């Protein structure tokens, strides 16, 4: 039993590491993509990306988790957990009609988005939907057997192929002078080839595992209704917390452009400013990597404490993790807001839209805390409430976009995202405090506040000494320097002001050398 727990923990760590690497790859390629195609080209890809990203998340986190849960339950109840063909049919009956709708109604979808020229990229992007049953079922099978490596490796292969394809094809098509919508369609095709590469790897892995035995074609004693309930409902709501930013982008794809036209922009201006606004999401993903990694690392420990009814240890773990989430989230959010003019120019060539991007920086703090709390809820088996909160945030985002954008442009979209992110944070706080009570360890508000104020003062002073207009190379040097020195100053102040316990310091760089804590 101990070996099984150790194997499960080891597998979760591998999956978490693969997820973080994939996130870095997913963020990294969009910077050269914007540099190659400009803001309009970036806007075109970002209109299609949320659909592709949601399908990818369902194939990685949602349906495989549901399938693995079904296999585990079926095995325990001696129902024959490898009856995977009916599951394959359920996923096929979902993906094929969805593909057909997106492909054949791409003109209508493009009109809903406010730009009829998006039809081609949408049609090309829809092919990724067809891969959903294949990747989901094989990943779910391996996870149900307690083997996370194939899922982790296939994720890395998928992202590497997708990113490489997008950058190479985009560069080649732009060099040949192709229209930007054709370039966007070429970029969207990268997700299909990435998924296909993952499937090839997974099929090779499953063939080695099965050693010639049948894989899909098994008899089942489970009703079709139960399969649909387990796979679709459980699969979707177990992955929603991984898709919050994607869902916000999905809403933006349908509401920002039409609302910018109401604000007074023509189509060309609206496309440019939507592309500028879309610069924010890669930056948000970078900022929330720490928060998501804290959350993912937390799940196995929280689950173990919950199973063994160790309420005191669970409460202490939650308090400590929430504090770390706030410390890193606040530091990343505050630091990014202050150095945004230089980061914007360093990554995207201009400082256009800096104010709107600075507003979006607040999302990092709320998302980090929400991801931390949702991971705890996941660890104690209370995902449903969290999923309902995420689903409930979508109408709010739609309404706020339609109110704010016609009034203040893309800053309205940023403001809407911040407000909805804050509401998600509040909702998750209520849920988690209901389950675990309020954090029992003392929260070092004064120390964290002083550390933040010190970092902010340092960054503001350096910026005050710099000229208003600098080159891109100079902006790059300033951004990197301020990030390194600002982060180091923030961390040293946290240690000196005893914001960490000894246990927490042991897991941080240079551990106890910064000073003694209680």
């Amino acid at each position: 039993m101990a070996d099984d727990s150790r194997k499960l923990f080891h597998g979760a760590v591998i999956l978490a590491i693969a997820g973080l690497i994939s996130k870095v790859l997913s963020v990294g390629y969009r910077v050269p993509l914007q540099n190659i195609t400009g803001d309009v080209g970036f806007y075109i890809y970002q209109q299609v990306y949320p659909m592709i990203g949601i399908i990818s998340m369902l194939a990685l986190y949602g349906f495989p988790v549901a399938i693995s849960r079904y296999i585990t339950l079926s095995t325990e109840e001696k129902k024959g957990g490898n009856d995977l063909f009916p599951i394959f049919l359920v996923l096929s009956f979902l993906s094929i009609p969805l593909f057909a709708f997106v492909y054949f109604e791409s003109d209508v979808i493009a009109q809903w988005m406010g730009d009829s020229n998006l039809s081609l990229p949408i049609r090309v992007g829809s092919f990724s939907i067809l891969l959903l049953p294949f990747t989901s079922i094989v990943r779910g099978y391996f996870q149900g057997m307690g083997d996370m490596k194939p899922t982790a490796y296939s994720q890395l292969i998928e992202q590497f192929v997708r990113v490489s394809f997008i950058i190479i094809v985009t560069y080649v098509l732009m060099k040949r002078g192709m229209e930007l919508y054709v370039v966007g369609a070429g970029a969207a095709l990268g997700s299909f080839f990435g998924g296909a590469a993952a499937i090839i790897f997974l099929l090779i892995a499953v063939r080695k595992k099965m050693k010639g035995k049948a894989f899909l074609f098994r008899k089942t004693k489970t009703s079709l209704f139960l399969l649909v309930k387990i796979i679709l409902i459980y699969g979707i709501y177990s992955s929603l917390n991984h898709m919050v930013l994607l869902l916000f982008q999905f809403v933006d794809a349908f509401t920002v452009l039409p609302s910018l036209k109401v604000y007074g922009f023509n189509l060309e201006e609206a496309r440019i400013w939507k592309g500028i606004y879309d610069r924010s999401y890669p930056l948000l993903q970078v900022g929330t990597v720490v928060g998501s990694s804290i959350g993912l690392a937390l799940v196995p420990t929280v689950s173990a404490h919950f199973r063994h009814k160790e309420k005191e240890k669970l409460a202490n773990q939650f308090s400590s993790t929430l504090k770390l989430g706030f410390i890193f989230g606040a530091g990343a959010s505050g630091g990014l807001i202050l150095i945004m003019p230089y980061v914007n120019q360093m990554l995207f060539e201009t400082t256009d839209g800096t104010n709107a991007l600075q507003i979006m920086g607040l999302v990092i703090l709320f998302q980090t805390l929400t991801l931390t709390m949702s991971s705890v809820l996941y660890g104690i088996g209370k995902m449903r409430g969290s999923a309902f909160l995420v689903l409930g945030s979508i109408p709010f985002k739609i309404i706020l976009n339609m109110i704010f954008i016609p009034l203040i442009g893309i800053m309205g979209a940023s403001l809407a995202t911040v407000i909805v992110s804050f509401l998600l944070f509040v909702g998750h706080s209520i849920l988690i405090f209901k389950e675990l009570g309020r954090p029992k360890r003392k929260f070092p508000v004064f120390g964290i506040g002083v550390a933040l104020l010190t970092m902010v003062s340092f960054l503001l002073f350096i910026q005050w000494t710099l000229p208003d207009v600098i080159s891109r190379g100079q902006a790059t040097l300033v951004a990197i320097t301020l990030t390194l020195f600002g982060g180091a100053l923030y961390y040293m102040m946290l240690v000196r002001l005893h914001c960490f316990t000894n246990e927490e310091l042991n897991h941080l760089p240079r551990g106890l050398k910064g000073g003694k804590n209680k």
Side-chain angles (χ1 to χ4, degrees), residues 294 300 433 452:
I294 291 172
F433 294 158
L452 269 174

Side-chain angles (χ1 to χ4, degrees), residues 390-421:
V390 174
L391 288 174
S393 70
I394 298 173
F396 279 102
K397 171 67 172 162
I398 294 171
I399 293 168
L400 292 176
N401 268 8
M402 296 177 72
I403 292 174
F404 291 141
I405 299 173
L407 295 175
I408 53 177
I410 61 167
M411 289 182 67
S414 299
L415 185 60
T417 306
V418 170
I419 292 173
V420 175
S421 298

Side-chain angles (χ1 to χ4, degrees), residues 47 50 54 113 244-258 274 277 281 393-402 405:
Q47 291 295 99
I54 289 170
M113 291 180 174
V244 173
L245 291 179
L246 280 169
L247 291 171
F248 289 170
Q249 290 176 79
F250 188 76
V251 171
D252 288 336
F254 288 91
T255 57
V256 171
L257 200 74
K274 172 60 166 59
Y277 166 74
Y281 282 106
S393 70
I394 298 173
F396 279 102
K397 171 67 172 162
I398 294 171
I399 293 168
L400 292 176
N401 268 8
M402 296 177 72
I405 299 173

Side-chain angles (χ1 to χ4, degrees), residues 227-370:
L227 279 176
V228 171
K229 181 180 178 182
I230 292 174
I231 304 306
L232 295 189
I233 297 177
Y234 184 84
I236 290 172
Y237 80 61
S238 67
S239 62
L240 280 173
N241 284 303
H242 296 281
M243 300 194 300
V244 173
L245 291 179
L246 280 169
L247 291 171
F248 289 170
Q249 290 176 79
F250 188 76
V251 171
D252 288 336
F254 288 91
T255 57
V256 171
L257 200 74
S259 297
L260 285 175
K261 291 179 182 178
V262 177
Y263 176 69
F265 288 146
N266 59 37
L267 177 60
E268 181 63 27
E269 292 170 329
R271 292 189 308 174
I272 292 171
W273 281 102
K274 172 60 166 59
I276 292 170
Y277 166 74
D278 283 332
R279 297 177 184 183
S280 63
Y281 282 106
L283 298 174
L284 293 184
Q285 284 181 292
V286 171
T288 55
V289 160
V290 172
S292 60
S293 62
I294 291 172
L296 285 169
L298 181 66
V299 171
T301 307
V302 167
S303 299
H305 290 326
F306 184 73
R307 280 197 312 272
H308 297 121
K309 299 182 179 179
E310 298 168 334
K311 292 184 178 180
E312 188 69 25
K313 289 183 179 179
L314 178 58
N316 289 337
Q317 181 77 56
F318 165 62
S319 299
S320 181
T321 307
L322 190 64
K323 183 177 76 174
L324 290 175
F326 180 80
I327 286 172
F328 288 116
S333 185
L336 183 61
I337 289 170
L338 288 171
I339 66 171
M340 184 63 78
Y342 309 107
V343 171
N344 194 12
Q345 187 175 1
M346 174 183 75
L347 297 178
F348 303 111
E349 301 182 79
T350 71
T351 58
D352 295 339
T354 292
N355 290 339
L357 302 188
Q358 285 175 316
I359 293 172
M360 287 288 274
L362 291 170
V363 175
I364 294 173
L365 173 60
F366 300 132
Q367 272 292 299
T368 299
L369 293 173
T370 300

Side-chain angles (χ1 to χ4, degrees), residues 14-15 17-19 21-23 25-26 56 60 131 135 139 148-166 190-205 208:
I14 292 174
L15 204 55
I17 293 171
I21 295 172
S22 295
K23 279 188 177 182
L25 287 172
S26 179
S56 177
L60 184 63
L131 305 178
T135 49
R139 283 169 173 162
M148 305 295 182
K149 289 182 181 179
T151 297
Y153 295 152
S154 68
Q155 183 183 5
L156 292 175
I157 290 169
E158 179 177 356
Q159 284 286 34
F160 181 77
V161 172
R162 182 169 77 95
V163 168
S164 301
F165 185 94
I166 288 172
S191 294
F192 177 82
F193 282 100
I199 289 174
I200 293 170
F201 170 81
L202 289 167
L203 290 177
I204 293 171
K208 290 181 180 179

Side-chain angles (χ1 to χ4, degrees), residues 63 85-101 129-130 132-134 224 227-228 231-232:
F63 295 143
F85 185 64
I87 301 175
F88 181 78
L89 289 179
V90 169
L91 292 176
S92 297
F93 287 143
L94 169 72
S95 61
I96 293 174
L98 183 59
F99 161 75
F101 171 76
I129 300 172
L130 294 174
L132 182 64
F134 300 95
L224 183 62
L227 279 176
V228 171
I231 304 306
L232 295 189

